[in-house]
Amino acid sequence: MLDTDLAGIYQVETKRLNEAVSRNIDRFPPEFMFQLTQAEYDNLRSQNATSSWGGRRYLPYAFTEHGIIMLSSVLNSKIAAQINIAVVKAFIGMRRYIAKPIRKKLDDLEKVLMLHIDDTNHNLDEHTAIINEIITRLNNLIETPAKPKRKIGFNPD
């Protein structure tokens, strides 16, 4: 996302956002943020049909998802603080979930599925077969981990 769009989201002026980035440049490595070239900016302006007589003094910055999150820690606005807190809470939740062994997660899931079978009064055989198939596939995932996926998004290399 561009700095102007993020300034709107974080409810600060674009100038203030870029000042905060400049003061904390060590928090924004190339995979978090980069500055558009003149050709890229010209192409962007022509696609958005913006006026050529107004505008910016400097080329805009583009931020990756990591840069967007980092912005929440360097900006001084209420929305930035709220986003930063939400990110921290999300990581705490993920850490708790990941810390739980996968075998325990599957056992818990199996219990829930078995309770569902017990509560089902009709089509019992059909539900049992489907749930047993789910359990079998989940167990196969543990035994054969998935192949790593190709990285999506900006790659500075």
Side-chain angles (χ1 to χ4, degrees):
M1 289 185 74
L2 295 180
D3 52 6
T4 52
D5 300 321
L6 290 167
I9 290 170
Y10 284 115
Q11 299 175 356
V12 296
E13 294 177 15
T14 305
K15 178 179 179 178
R16 299 297 170 230
L17 182 141
N18 288 329
E19 285 175 354
V21 169
S22 295
R23 286 189 200 112
N24 297 282
I25 198 66
D26 56 322
R27 294 181 184 218
F28 294 93
E31 62 270 18
F32 284 23
M33 175 199 77
F34 58 92
Q35 193 167 27
L36 296 182
T37 65
Q38 187 63 50
E40 291 168 333
Y41 183 58
D42 291 342
N43 184 36
L44 184 66
R45 281 184 22 192
S46 68
Q47 288 180 9
N48 290 327
T50 56
S51 168
S52 61
W53 52 267
R56 306 176 63 113
R57 296 171 80 183
Y58 304 102
L59 293 171
Y61 288 101
F63 293 84
T64 65
E65 60 190 11
H66 302 298
I68 293 168
I69 293 169
M70 184 59 72
L71 275 172
S72 71
S73 68
V74 300
L75 292 174
N76 188 17
S77 73
K78 287 184 180 184
I79 191 89
Q82 291 170 348
I83 290 171
N84 203 357
I85 290 167
V87 168
V88 170
K89 286 181 178 181
F91 276 102
I92 290 169
M94 283 178 23
R95 183 181 52 97
R96 286 181 182 151
Y97 180 77
I98 291 170
K100 190 184 234 187
I102 190 138
R103 175 51 53 194
K104 174 74 173 126
K105 292 175 198 170
L106 286 176
D107 290 343
D108 291 347
L109 178 60
E110 188 173 4
K111 287 177 189 174
V112 169
L113 292 173
M114 291 305 167
L115 287 173
H116 176 70
I117 289 174
D118 291 341
D119 289 343
T120 305
N121 294 327
H122 60 317
N123 297 330
L124 184 62
D125 293 333
E126 180 184 333
H127 288 288
T128 303
I130 291 170
I131 291 172
N132 284 335
E133 177 66 22
I134 291 170
I135 292 169
T136 302
R137 289 186 184 198
L138 289 172
N139 284 329
N140 288 340
L141 285 175
I142 291 175
E143 295 166 9
T144 57
K147 296 177 184 174
K149 294 184 178 183
R150 184 176 65 87
K151 187 176 179 181
I152 298 174
F154 174 73
N155 187 351
D157 300 332

